[in-house]
Amino acid sequence: MVKIEKTKFYGIFKVDGNLATVNLVPGEKVYGEELIKEKNVEYRYWDYWRSKPAAAIKNGLKILPLEKGMNILYLGIANGTTASHFSDIIGKEGLIYGVEISERPFRELLPLVEKRGNIVPILSNARKPEDYEDQILGKVDLVYEDVATEDQVEILIRNCEKFLKSEGFAIIAIKSQSIDVTRPPKEVYDECLQKLEKHFEILDKVKLDPYEKFHLFVVMKSKK
Amino acid sequence: MALYKVKTFIGIFTIDDNKKVISFSPFPKDPILVASRLKDEVDEAPEEIENFLKENLLRYALEYKFVKNQAEFNQFLTEVNSEIAKQKIKEIVSRDVLIIHTNNAIEELDKSINIFIERLREWYSLHFPEMDKVIEDHKTFAKLIEKFGNRKDIDDKRLNQFKEKSMGIDFTQEDIETVKALATTIIKLYELRERFSNYLSKLLKEIAPNFSVIAGDVVAAKLIAKAGGLERLARMPSSTIQLLGAEKALFRFLKSKEKFKSPKFGLIYNHPLIKSAPKDKQGKIARLLSSKLSIAARIDYYSKEYKADKMKKELEERVKEVLVAKK
């Protein structure tokens, strides 16, 4: 008998103690995760070693603004491991615009998006929102950023100014080692948070150790 | 009143100043066709009107019965963009990726050959231990086994004297055939390596003619692979090229400046100009070399004009000056 519990987050469950979402495309695995079927609902385990929001929930995140039908701008979607769970949660009425600069992970992402039908793949540099503004229809409810670059905070702010609804949400996974390896992570985080606070109200933040080293996961709400 | 034509992924709208849609001609529901149609240029409409249409596109798509519901709308949007991405991938993947794969394959072959040859030497030494010391060259070692098999059949003037009084055990025909199969495979791997390395030289001549002449094929390929492509190499400052491959030492130095010295070179150490120079001059030569390399990479990426001979001469003269100069 499989034990299924609700969590405080919409669309996220605990199945035998593992985080899981309801598979949007039953029978399809995305990255080799386990599928569990119970009472005609198929759950996909959400591996917190491979996906940062799952690690954040594991480490006690209190707020994760994901809901059915949401429109999300996802910067740094890579091969869609994390995005596939977002896609489960928001359902067929929601949309994820996934921006990625490197063409390599697109080989795995493209078959995935065609099956799911709610992820729009955009092969572009997130530093240049002008390049993909034509592909994004209207404003989004959430901007999620996971790009490991020195200017990741600036990239998030620029994209939010262009694409985020007023009082919309933003989530960033700050990687201190990409911003400055020579300084202690705490110093780097504080500096990033200061920059972010000018534009956002910080709702929650949590470190991702030991699942991702030197990462801070921050959930915010736009002040505009 | 002005009328504008606005292209969206579901079709072309004609819309007036007051954001009233006059007409709509839908695209065929074929993602490949739509992706190519979206590429054609149309006259720009004011941003306000374009944004209005974008934000209300779902409503119009339902109104004009282009789709039945939002899920179908999303599915089509996804497929069109997937097609756009596919076409874009074809445009941006450049041939220098071939250099990276070939270079890395050669490095992996070298590792594999080493592992296998070590095994072969140990294995065959049961039968003919004296040969291990006498035949130092790996390829020759494997070739002798492939050709003769049993030590009694070996005909080689360096080995003949050891054959009779060898302390090795006797091998059966099957033992011999088995170890021979390993030797054959190793020789095949050597041939593969040779083929890859010829192909790599050709690629370098085509893609990075200046850079490869100044760096030498081996170093050139390694640097391009490490940088992740010619474009990235062309964008690097020469100091970064100088230290490519020495990241560990560099960051160790940056983290605790007192305890460690900064590295002077990375992969370019394998360049003959540096390798052959006295120790106290190597750092200076590394700087000279890397600055020439960065210029060459930029010429290769942006113009392809061949200037390498002149540049190489300049570099060699500068290095000579450095070598004769007293400290």
Side-chain angles (χ1 to χ4, degrees):
Chain A
M1 185 62 198
V2 187
K3 196 175 146 209
I4 293 163
E5 300 162 77
K6 280 193 174 170
T7 63
K8 59 188 154 199
F9 306 110
Y10 175 84
I12 303 174
F13 301 87
K14 266 199 161 167
V15 179
D16 278 351
N18 297 289
L19 284 176
T21 54
V22 176
N23 199 352
L24 188 71
V25 193
E28 288 283 338
K29 288 184 183 183
V30 175
Y31 54 98
E33 72 282 20
E34 225 176 293
L35 303 178
I36 301 282
K37 203 156 189 174
E38 179 69 19
K39 286 183 188 139
N40 272 331
V41 183
E42 189 175 273
Y43 296 90
R44 287 172 56 225
Y45 279 180
W46 195 354
D47 187 346
Y48 37 78
W49 290 100
R50 309 238 343 229
S51 180
K52 289 172 194 119
I57 292 172
K58 183 90 179 160
N59 282 357
L61 187 78
K62 289 181 209 73
I63 300 164
L64 186 64
L66 283 176
E67 268 166 51
K68 194 177 176 156
M70 249 189 177
N71 282 0
I72 301 172
L73 173 59
Y74 192 131
L75 306 170
I77 191 165
N79 51 15
T81 305
T82 297
S84 70
H85 289 284
F86 285 6
S87 146
D88 283 348
I89 295 168
I90 61 171
K92 297 258 184 205
E93 268 72 44
L95 262 184
I96 298 169
Y97 298 97
V99 181
E100 171 64 45
I101 187 170
S102 160
E103 87 291 339
R104 175 69 187 84
F106 259 63
R107 283 186 225 160
E108 281 136 54
L109 182 70
L110 292 181
L112 181 80
V113 307
E114 284 172 15
K115 273 180 213 140
R116 295 194 155 252
N118 63 359
I119 304 174
V120 176
I122 299 173
L123 186 58
S124 251
N125 186 345
R127 286 193 187 90
K128 296 178 184 160
E130 325 64 83
D131 286 359
Y132 50 86
E133 63 182 340
D134 286 348
Q135 281 164 280
I136 294 179
L137 306 173
K139 303 239 169 182
V140 299
D141 306 291
L142 165 69
V143 178
Y144 179 90
E145 189 205 64
D146 180 11
V147 298
T149 62
E150 194 191 346
D151 53 348
Q152 59 170 194
V153 170
E154 287 76 13
I155 292 175
L156 178 78
I157 292 169
R158 219 177 303 152
N159 277 279
C160 285
E161 276 171 356
K162 217 168 171 102
F163 301 117
L164 187 61
K165 272 184 190 157
S166 70
E167 297 194 21
F169 295 97
I171 298 177
I172 184 171
I174 302 171
K175 185 178 177 188
S176 75
Q177 297 281 294
S178 301
I179 295 170
D180 193 338
V181 272
T182 63
R183 282 156 55 202
K186 174 99 180 38
E187 238 179 85
V188 178
Y189 295 152
D190 287 347
E191 196 187 290
C192 290
L193 289 172
Q194 263 180 20
K195 281 190 216 161
L196 289 166
E197 269 169 347
K198 283 180 202 149
H199 302 263
F200 305 100
E201 178 194 342
I202 292 178
L203 303 176
D204 199 0
K205 54 178 196 278
V206 56
K207 279 186 199 156
L208 298 186
D209 295 281
Y211 310 109
E212 293 279 352
K213 283 179 186 158
F214 309 112
H215 276 76
L216 187 71
F217 192 86
V218 190
V219 180
M220 298 162 286
K221 190 173 184 179
S222 172
K223 280 184 179 170
K224 268 191 257 168
Chain B
M1 199 192 327
L3 285 179
Y4 303 104
K5 272 192 187 316
V6 181
K7 198 161 52 174
T8 69
F9 82 99
I10 62 169
I12 298 167
F13 286 86
T14 312
I15 186 167
D16 70 13
D17 280 346
N18 299 320
K19 299 177 186 164
K20 190 170 168 326
V21 172
I22 310 291
S23 72
F24 168 61
S25 70
F27 281 148
K29 249 180 154 174
D30 174 349
I32 298 176
L33 270 176
V34 174
S36 67
R37 290 268 188 100
L38 283 174
K39 273 202 225 153
D40 318 331
E41 286 295 316
V42 283
D43 300 333
E44 288 266 315
E47 211 182 309
E48 199 198 330
I49 289 189
E50 285 193 347
N51 285 342
F52 166 79
L53 256 184
K54 262 202 282 181
E55 275 162 34
N56 293 284
L57 200 56
L58 172 64
R59 187 162 63 79
Y60 285 120
L62 292 168
E63 230 169 72
Y64 284 103
K65 302 210 163 51
F66 188 83
V67 291
K68 285 193 291 292
N69 52 37
Q70 189 178 1
E72 195 190 335
F73 179 83
N74 288 356
Q75 177 75 39
F76 190 62
L77 178 64
T78 299
E79 283 171 16
V80 170
N81 279 285
S82 180
E83 207 47 54
I84 292 173
K86 279 181 200 164
Q87 295 179 2
K88 223 168 163 184
I89 289 175
K90 278 189 197 138
E91 285 162 24
I92 60 172
V93 175
S94 57
R95 281 180 66 80
D96 58 347
V97 186
L98 294 172
I99 296 182
I100 301 178
H101 282 306
T102 317
N103 173 71
N104 294 354
I106 290 176
E107 284 177 14
E108 281 149 12
L109 272 178
D110 283 342
K111 271 188 211 155
S112 313
I113 289 174
N114 261 328
I115 291 171
F116 285 135
I117 203 82
E118 231 174 280
R119 173 65 49 215
L120 182 71
R121 279 179 181 273
E122 281 297 315
W123 193 338
Y124 197 72
S125 288
L126 293 174
H127 177 57
F128 193 8
E130 291 79 6
M131 182 165 145
D132 186 35
K133 281 271 146 51
V134 178
I135 308 296
E136 278 183 358
D137 183 62
H138 295 328
K139 208 170 167 182
T140 320
F141 192 90
K143 275 198 167 151
L144 282 169
I145 296 172
E146 196 208 21
K147 192 170 169 198
F148 299 111
N150 200 307
R151 83 169 168 250
K152 288 189 208 99
D153 304 327
I154 289 183
D155 183 17
D156 185 279
K157 56 178 183 300
R158 289 163 292 183
L159 292 169
N160 287 343
Q161 48 169 321
F162 301 107
K163 275 192 329 200
E164 296 308 318
K165 31 184 187 162
S166 169
M167 61 176 136
I169 60 168
D170 286 336
F171 268 11
T172 65
Q173 192 56 31
E174 193 187 3
D175 296 341
I176 291 288
E177 290 307 324
T178 312
V179 78
K180 244 171 112 169
L182 179 60
T184 311
T185 306
I186 292 172
I187 289 163
K188 286 250 165 66
L189 291 178
Y190 271 116
E191 285 164 7
L192 193 59
R193 193 200 184 285
E194 179 80 24
R195 180 178 168 176
F196 283 1
S197 125
N198 290 339
Y199 173 63
L200 185 64
S201 301
K202 254 198 221 160
L203 278 179
L204 284 167
K205 214 174 224 166
E206 171 202 327
I207 295 160
N210 292 291
F211 189 72
S212 60
V213 164
I214 294 174
D217 283 354
V218 177
V219 175
K222 280 184 200 283
L223 286 172
I224 291 172
K226 186 83 199 175
L230 185 62
E231 183 190 358
R232 289 170 100 164
L233 199 65
R235 287 170 185 273
M236 278 177 182
S238 67
S239 54
T240 306
I241 295 179
Q242 187 186 344
L243 294 182
L244 272 181
E247 288 77 13
K248 207 170 156 193
L250 174 67
F251 288 117
R252 190 176 54 203
F253 160 73
L254 287 175
K255 273 186 176 161
S256 57
K257 289 194 173 143
E258 308 83 35
K259 276 186 248 160
F260 300 98
K261 277 190 200 160
S262 78
K264 302 282 179 286
F265 29 68
L267 287 168
I268 59 166
Y269 179 72
N270 292 315
H271 194 282
L273 280 178
I274 298 183
K275 224 172 184 176
S276 63
K279 237 179 161 158
D280 59 327
K281 303 271 169 74
Q282 283 177 335
K284 192 160 197 173
I285 295 173
R287 282 204 304 281
L288 288 172
L289 176 62
S290 60
S291 66
K292 270 281 182 282
L293 285 176
S294 81
I295 296 169
R298 283 165 207 187
I299 297 175
D300 284 339
Y301 185 71
Y302 294 104
S303 86
K304 284 255 151 69
E305 192 185 339
Y306 188 76
K307 287 182 181 167
D309 295 335
K310 188 171 154 261
M311 287 171 71
K312 198 174 175 190
K313 222 167 135 198
E314 280 170 16
L315 175 67
E316 276 162 1
E317 271 163 28
R318 262 308 275 146
V319 169
K320 240 181 243 162
E321 281 172 36
V322 170
L323 287 176
V324 281
K326 289 215 179 90
K327 252 217 152 167

